[in-house]
Amino acid sequence: MIRYFLAFVFALAFATTLQAQQQQLGPDKELTAEDVEESIKTLEKPMYTPFVELYLLDESKALRKEMQDTRAELIEKVVEKELSVADKSMSYATDTVTYFFYLIAGATSILVVIGWNSIRDMRHQLTSLAEKRVNELVVEYEQRLKFIEEQLQQKSEIIHQNQAEIERTNEVHALWLKASQETSQQNKIAAYDQILDLRPDDVEALSYKADAVLEMREPLWAISLCQRALKLAPDNGHAHYQLACAYAEIGRWEDAVATLEKAINISEAYRDDASVDPSFEQLQDHESFRNLVFIDQNDSPDA
């Protein structure tokens, strides 16, 4: 550090000398490296004095001593802090152990007061309480398991029922497709019977079977099928229409018109079907039938 300071002083003095030489040369002439080297060679006395060196040495010594004192003071404070922390830790540990023994003594006194005169009695009481609680838990979990098992059985039954219903539905759809592709009325009736075996209350199967029966010229059989379907679904328009056709086939004109009116009230499409259905050919001149079916012609001016 002293060496650096001396170098700084030397540099400062040298810079002062150079500045003086620059002033002597004038502002128009620039100081060159040869001028600097010549000025160094012609120095008549050193650029610093022994007094400055002695001053710097004294200052460095004082600074070193101050740093040593500061270090000693810092070490002393750190040691004092560590000793203080150790004392507090020992005191805390001692107090903790003391309070723990006090707690044990107090607990023992309480046990003696309430009647647990020995560790054996306390162990017996704890064992009894534990067994009682375990038994209660076992009973509770058995009840829960039983409830879960019942729910699983119910869900399994529902799944089986749904699977059976899906299989039945697929089979019914296949039979409907088969019936739509058959050209023989007998084969259609056989397909409808299979559907009714799977679903006895299928109103559509009953009404379409009645349609096939009418094609075979069996109006009484068709009437029986339609009445059975209407008991299950009184608002089924197709069953009403087939029943009206069956009544017309056997000559029950009034019943045919009344039943056809019910079908038309359910769906206007049956009005157009009745106008071209061969079953109602004999009713074409019947006034009530014409008023019901050919309503547009009756409202025309030429009627």
Side-chain angles (χ1 to χ4, degrees), residues 106-118 121-122 125:
T108 305
S109 300
I110 292 173
L111 292 175
V112 172
V113 169
I114 64 176
W116 289 355
N117 298 320
S118 64
D121 294 337
M122 182 174 64
Q125 293 291 337

Side-chain angles (χ1 to χ4, degrees), residues 68-283:
Q68 289 179 352
D69 292 341
T70 303
R71 182 180 180 185
E73 183 179 359
L74 180 61
I75 293 173
E76 183 179 357
K77 288 184 178 180
V78 170
V79 171
E80 288 179 357
K81 289 292 183 183
E82 290 179 351
L83 290 175
S84 176
V85 171
D87 290 340
K88 289 181 179 180
S89 300
M90 291 296 295
S91 176
Y92 178 75
T94 303
D95 293 341
T96 301
V97 173
T98 302
Y99 293 150
F100 183 72
F101 280 111
Y102 287 161
L103 181 62
I104 293 176
T108 305
S109 300
I110 292 173
L111 292 175
V112 172
V113 169
I114 64 176
W116 289 355
N117 298 320
S118 64
I119 300 298
R120 181 179 299 174
D121 294 337
M122 182 174 64
R123 179 180 178 182
H124 178 70
Q125 293 291 337
L126 290 175
T127 303
S128 300
L129 290 175
E131 290 179 353
K132 181 180 179 181
R133 183 55 182 164
V134 168
N135 292 332
E136 291 177 354
L137 290 174
V138 169
V139 173
E140 181 179 357
Y141 279 103
E142 285 180 351
Q143 292 176 352
R144 291 184 180 181
L145 289 174
K146 184 178 180 181
F147 178 71
I148 293 172
E149 184 178 0
E150 292 177 353
Q151 286 187 333
L152 289 175
Q153 289 179 353
Q154 292 177 358
K155 291 181 178 181
S156 298
E157 292 177 358
I158 292 172
I159 291 172
H160 290 310
Q161 292 175 0
N162 291 336
Q163 289 177 348
E165 182 63 26
I166 291 172
E167 292 177 357
R168 189 182 301 109
T169 302
N170 292 333
E171 188 174 356
V172 169
H173 287 170
L175 291 171
W176 276 111
L177 182 61
K178 179 182 178 182
S180 65
Q181 295 175 349
E182 291 289 348
T183 57
S184 172
Q185 301 301 326
Q186 289 287 353
N187 293 335
K188 287 185 178 182
I189 292 174
Y192 296 143
D193 287 337
Q194 290 179 357
I195 294 173
L196 291 171
D197 289 338
L198 296 173
R199 291 179 177 175
D201 296 335
D202 194 324
V203 177
E204 294 298 324
L206 288 170
S207 61
Y208 277 94
K209 183 179 178 181
D211 189 10
V213 167
L214 281 174
E215 293 292 334
M216 295 174 61
R217 303 298 179 181
E218 295 289 345
L220 296 178
W221 188 6
I223 291 172
S224 176
L225 292 172
C226 291
Q227 289 177 348
R228 177 181 168 188
L230 291 173
K231 286 182 179 180
L232 297 172
D235 295 332
N236 187 275
H238 190 250
H240 280 293
Y241 182 82
Q242 295 301 329
L243 181 59
C245 292
Y247 283 148
E249 290 285 347
I250 63 174
R252 294 173 59 175
W253 317 125
E254 295 181 359
D255 292 336
V257 172
T259 308
L260 179 60
E261 185 178 4
K262 293 180 182 178
I264 293 173
N265 290 334
I266 295 172
S267 175
E268 286 290 330
Y270 293 118
R271 191 189 306 276
D272 297 333
D273 293 339
S275 64
V276 296
D277 196 323
S279 297
F280 297 111
E281 287 182 358
Q282 298 181 8
L283 284 174

